[in-house]
Amino acid sequence: MTTPLKPGRRLLADADALAASSPLSLADSVAEAIGQELGQSVRLVSAELETNGEAQTDDSELVSPSAVVTAVLPQKGQELRTEVTVHLEGDAAYSASVRFAFAEAIDNSDDVSELLCPGSAGWNSALRDRLREDSEFSTLIEAYDGTIGIAIGGRPVHFRCYRGHVLEVVARSILGADFVLSIPGDVFVDLVTAERNRFMETAMSGRMRSSGSGYEYLRMTSALIRIIDHARAMAVTAGYVGSERVLDTNLQVA
């Protein structure tokens, strides 16, 4: 890669359908294809595979890959981490997803904005500052004393709130969260780059999962929607691919 990618960038657009006898060999083929597209200087750091329960595919079955960049994070030193989610859909009932992380040496990782990685320390800090200045969000949490939790692509974010005040937005609070809403990385990218805030439609479709107190989750739904409003404005600022479609936010994007 000569320049950092942005979340929302689609990969493998011209990839041929794949044939493989096992999910692991499929994942290997996809990792190689992504590596070729990103450039010879990248290396695979990790891969997490999820299937729909089918043990393997038939050699004659064709599987089509689609991939999207979900996060770009500068690492300590001169290195950049790029996270990619790939969906594999077969001709029959087979489907799987793979979450990859690639690393690449770059000249200066300090030049890469942490807003490109939802859930990073810099992203959390920017969101905290926005929420503290938002009188509407203060109203939504004025009767709440607790911790809202979300996990974006597996990266936890805890919002410690007390009666209208945002005390902190951190990776993990000391006492944990009252509930955690888990949002896959690619689903989060869709949320922050859609024309309007589709939080409720996404939740109802089952693409996000909550754990912990269902009561507090329902009570804080409006606050969660407002958090996504701010995340959408931050995506515009950071230049996520597709964020030019964001039309309905009345929040400052700077």
Side-chain angles (χ1 to χ4, degrees):
M1 289 183 294
T2 56
T3 58
L5 301 179
K6 298 288 184 73
R9 168 72 180 273
R10 304 287 168 175
L11 304 175
L12 304 181
D14 300 322
D16 295 330
L18 303 172
S21 58
S22 73
L24 289 178
S25 61
L26 273 172
D28 286 342
S29 298
V30 172
E32 182 179 357
I34 293 176
Q36 291 176 353
E37 185 167 343
L38 296 184
Q40 296 300 317
S41 61
V42 303
R43 72 179 192 280
L44 179 64
V45 175
S46 65
E48 298 179 30
L49 172 68
E50 293 183 1
T51 71
N52 65 351
E54 295 289 335
Q56 63 181 25
T57 59
D58 187 282
D59 285 339
S60 63
E61 183 178 3
L62 294 179
V63 177
S64 299
S66 61
V68 61
V69 175
T70 58
V72 178
L73 179 65
Q75 304 286 283
K76 292 181 179 180
Q78 307 299 310
E79 194 168 75
L80 193 67
R81 177 186 175 98
T82 300
E83 297 178 3
V84 179
T85 293
V86 179
H87 290 287
L88 301 165
E89 299 292 338
D91 295 333
Y94 179 84
S95 66
S97 63
V98 193
R99 294 184 297 274
F100 291 110
F102 296 88
E104 179 185 23
I106 59 174
D107 292 336
N108 188 0
S109 62
D110 293 337
D111 292 339
V112 181
S113 170
E114 286 196 55
L115 294 185
L116 298 178
C117 182
S120 67
W123 189 90
N124 293 347
S125 177
L127 183 54
R128 177 203 63 206
D129 292 345
R130 295 182 66 94
L131 293 175
R132 284 178 174 175
E133 297 174 359
D134 183 2
S135 59
E136 180 174 330
F137 187 76
S138 295
T139 299
L140 293 172
I141 62 170
E142 63 183 354
Y144 181 59
D145 176 10
T147 301
I148 296 169
I150 62 175
I152 306 169
R155 194 171 285 108
V157 185
H158 287 184
F159 303 79
R160 180 73 181 94
C161 307
Y162 178 73
R163 298 189 180 279
H165 299 282
V166 178
L167 302 181
E168 61 180 4
V169 178
V170 292
R172 293 187 186 277
S173 58
I174 294 176
L175 298 179
D178 296 330
F179 65 90
V180 175
L181 180 65
S182 296
I183 311 175
D186 58 319
V187 173
F188 184 80
V189 167
D190 289 344
L191 272 176
V192 299
T193 58
E195 289 186 5
R196 60 182 180 83
N197 191 329
R198 297 182 179 274
F199 179 90
M200 290 305 300
E201 294 96 322
T202 304
M204 294 297 290
S205 70
R207 300 180 71 200
M208 304 185 294
R209 302 286 184 179
S210 66
S211 59
S213 173
Y215 170 76
E216 294 292 8
Y217 167 55
L218 292 175
R219 192 160 77 99
M220 290 294 105
T221 296
S222 293
L224 286 165
I225 293 172
R226 190 64 173 174
I227 288 171
I228 295 300
D229 279 336
H230 282 282
R232 286 163 57 77
M234 290 165 60
V236 174
T237 299
Y240 285 30
V241 176
S243 63
E244 66 276 4
R245 297 190 297 263
V246 175
L247 301 175
D248 67 342
T249 181
N250 59 359
L251 302 170
Q252 291 183 351
V253 299

